[in-house]
Amino acid sequence: MKTRANWLLIPALAIGLGACKKKEEVKAPDAPAAVAETGKGDQEAPPTVTTTPKIGPEERAAKLGFAKHLPQDTEAILSFYNGTKIANRVKGTKLWKLVQEQMGGVAGIAADEPAIGEAEVPEPGQEAAIPDDAGGKDADAAAAAPMGPAALFGSEFTIALGKSTGEQAGNLLTVSRRMSYFQMRTLARAFGTAVKSGKTASLGESLSKDYSEELFKEILKDPQSGIALLEKAKLPPVYLAFRTKESDRPAAAQQVAALVANANMLEEMVEPVTIENAGQKFEGVKILGSKISASIAEDRESMDGALDAATVDQLLAVVAKKDLVIVSGTVGDYVVLYFGGSVDDFKLAGDVSQSIVSSDALAFSDGYAAKELAALVYGQKEPLETLMNSAGGLADATNGLRDGLAGSEGLGDTRDLEALLQIVAEREAALRKLTSIDSVCSVAFFEQGLKIESCGGTDAGMVDWKSPDKLARLGDPEDVFLFVDVTKDAAFDEKARAYYEALIEAAYAMTMKVAEVPMEDPEMAKFKEMATMIDGKFRPDMVALWDAFGDDFGGSLGQESALVVDFKGGAPAIPGIPQAVLDKAKVPRISIIAPVTDRAKLSGSWNKMNTTLTGTLAKISAMIGQEIPMQKPMSSERGGNTTWFFPMPFLTDDFVPSVTVGDKWFAASTSKNQALDLITKADAGGETRTGFWLSLNFKTLEQYAKETYKLVDENSKDLTGEALPDKDGKVIKDSITLLSDLDKLTIHSRREGAVLRSSVHFKTR
């Protein structure tokens, strides 16, 4: 019971959120205006924009809180506001009440528990109104009172990352990327060694050896990820800031300082440190790299056994330079905890004019200054680009395999396979070139639930942002549960297909190369037999199917496609289900619809697939000694559209896996009726939008759940032989009731001019 309640806490948080002349400045994308109401109610039409003048640094500072203390070269900010309100909203939801019932009044979530942070703390922008404790308690008494996490996070909590964060995170990703390369190179070499010896047992021995000491040595010697990279690596500036009331600030500062003091357990490895910045004093400790290096050197004998003396000297020298500084203190309304690689990296803005709020980096948030903020996210462009470039991809693994094969013995001529692996890397690089990156800024605020507005970020190039989505109207009806509409970018599709083809071809060639090796082993013998059979009998069929599906079928449809799910399908006549249930039961209907650009090519793709599959089944029949005939599809026509399906028992027009094809549209569906209805609506045209759209209607889901429960409850004796137990009925009804807090989730990503925009609305009732 406790486990179920713990899982229920996750959506509770979501429901609660909804119910509730200088140096060159860091720049974010031009700030689009605030989203205006469209006046179209639940249709959730694409948002329009209204002109919103840029606000001044002082007003921005008042709204965004701790950001006013951060320097302009800050690389990332994550701020959460109104934690008390969010927590109290969660406690007012039906889901929270259900959790209380399931937990049976467990301490910490009892029904009569006081709301988190009872004494309300005004949001940023109302600093002058921050009250002392009710009744004017003595400040010393307040300082002595214990502070819990709820108090620290009740008003505003900010995580900020200073200059060099992107570079240092990129260093970690580089190590991970190169680790992947060396692992796969080691694997290829170990396999070659095992083949040469003719014993599979030696493969495990080679891997056990090479994956430990040898791999570690390889990484240390590597120019990209070795000691040279360790020289540059250090912890970037990390700030954790908690906004507090004046009366609570001494106790909060003491609590955070106590956390820092725990580092003193390292004894002689730490020394006290004091930093003065922004007119304030911050105290804590410095964990000395020199002491850590000396401690490691005490066990140098074991290191010398694995590494040469010169490498050990280099490692110890690098570690000796790596300090860790941890300090805490207060600035303005905030208790601050800092982690960093040096005292010099600790930098706070002396005043608003020197802070990030006086630059254009956070200008996107100006359009939402009047909103009740829940969160702010900011990421600078350059660090994001560094992360993207450092992350790498599958090419690191394939390059490792390629180089391992080239340097191994026992596998014969591997030049063709090496060339294929090189092609994989080249095509992945071509695909990654389509990605664009800009600074990202997002704000979350309470308005008819929770809204998240974002600009910038990473665009992989998958979406055609300019072409209109002509299927946008298919998601308008209120009985649609799930609707997804997107127009794919043709250039991305082409490069992605080329990349996947290279991957498949390389994987196949590698499989066949393994099957050729002269290893005497029962398992290897079975593998060889299977691989030889597939290559000889089914390889031509697989190639033909791939070409028919990818080239002909894919090339016959347009770039736009939409997914539509509703709950209006009639139930199939399944034996054993009472007729009264079948007459009233509804099942989900799922369809994918796309425009047809070449019907002749589409028809030809099926002919090729049908011919190939018929031949494949004949081969399988010969292998097993039992004929498996290719099923012949049936068809029906309406309005110039042909629906194709395979005959199966119990199917109806509203429950039949099928494809419907016309001169203009293609639909794959679980329901012939839904497919034809969608094609009719698509023909009618109407309002369009651009970009990616997703909508999820919780009211439709709630209604379907209620109707289904009622039907099952009324017919439970005929269905199961006994009435639905009251206890089970209550759990089901309570679970359905949770949906009454929710209305709709919509996500719309698009480009407004040159700026990538995204709007998320988690609408509540």
Side-chain angles (χ1 to χ4, degrees), residues 488-507:
K488 298 174 294 182
D489 184 83
F492 183 91
D493 255 12
E494 180 182 355
K495 292 185 183 299
R497 174 175 165 76
Y499 174 53
Y500 299 144
E501 284 181 345
L503 275 176
I504 293 171
E505 192 172 355

Side-chain angles (χ1 to χ4, degrees), residues 373-656:
L373 293 186
L376 168 79
V377 177
Y378 166 73
Q380 197 181 101
K381 177 181 179 178
E382 289 75 12
L384 292 176
E385 287 179 329
T386 299
L387 293 177
M388 182 67 185
N389 294 332
S390 301
L394 190 58
D396 297 298
T398 56
N399 286 343
L401 286 172
R402 178 201 63 200
D403 294 348
L405 291 171
S408 66
E409 299 179 3
L411 295 177
D413 189 350
T414 61
R415 287 176 294 179
D416 289 346
L417 181 53
E418 293 168 36
L420 287 174
L421 292 170
Q422 178 62 34
I423 291 173
V424 170
E426 292 171 353
R427 292 186 178 177
E428 182 181 79
L431 191 61
R432 287 167 60 89
K433 284 183 179 179
L434 298 178
T435 299
S436 62
I437 299 174
D438 209 338
S439 296
V440 61
C441 188
S442 298
V443 290
F445 55 94
F446 302 111
E447 185 175 272
Q448 294 183 309
L450 180 72
K451 291 183 178 180
I452 303 173
E453 292 289 337
S454 306
C455 74
T458 301
D459 177 6
M462 297 177 63
V463 179
D464 180 350
W465 303 108
K466 296 180 180 179
S467 298
D469 294 337
K470 298 179 180 180
L471 300 173
R473 290 289 302 277
L474 300 186
D476 286 350
E478 280 301 300
D479 53 20
V480 172
F481 166 60
L482 172 64
F483 177 65
V484 181
D485 186 18
V486 65
T487 298
K488 298 174 294 182
D489 184 83
F492 183 91
D493 255 12
E494 180 182 355
K495 292 185 183 299
R497 174 175 165 76
Y499 174 53
Y500 299 144
E501 284 181 345
L503 275 176
I504 293 171
E505 192 172 355
Y508 193 87
M510 187 170 296
T511 300
M512 298 313 301
K513 173 58 69 175
V514 172
E516 293 172 0
V517 300
M519 294 180 67
E520 298 300 329
D521 181 272
E523 294 300 321
M524 179 59 71
K526 293 179 182 179
F527 174 79
K528 288 182 180 181
E529 183 180 357
M530 179 65 69
T532 302
M533 183 267 294
I534 292 175
D535 184 57
K537 290 183 177 292
F538 298 106
R539 184 175 184 274
D541 296 348
M542 291 187 292
V543 172
L545 284 174
W546 175 263
D547 289 340
F549 184 80
D551 290 335
D552 297 329
F553 177 75
S556 65
L557 301 181
Q559 294 300 117
E560 182 182 6
S561 61
L563 169 67
V564 185
V565 180
D566 65 26
F567 300 120
K568 297 171 63 178
I574 301 175
I577 303 297
Q579 191 63 46
V581 175
L582 295 175
D583 291 341
K584 296 181 179 180
K586 297 295 181 182
V587 298
R589 303 190 304 180
I590 306 171
S591 294
I592 297 176
I593 181 171
V596 173
T597 57
D598 190 334
R599 185 168 183 178
K601 195 172 186 178
L602 180 61
S603 177
S605 70
W606 164 248
N607 291 334
K608 289 181 180 179
M609 285 188 278
N610 183 56
T611 300
T612 301
L613 289 172
T614 300
T616 302
L617 287 174
K619 295 175 184 178
I620 296 175
S621 298
M623 289 173 58
I624 65 176
Q626 180 179 350
E627 186 175 358
I628 306 176
M630 180 66 178
Q631 298 297 306
K632 297 184 180 298
M634 298 179 65
S635 66
S636 64
E637 288 200 32
R638 194 171 85 186
N641 297 294
T642 304
T643 300
W644 298 90
F645 58 94
F646 289 103
M648 289 184 285
F650 320 127
L651 297 183
T652 68
D653 282 347
D654 221 14
F655 189 86
V656 53

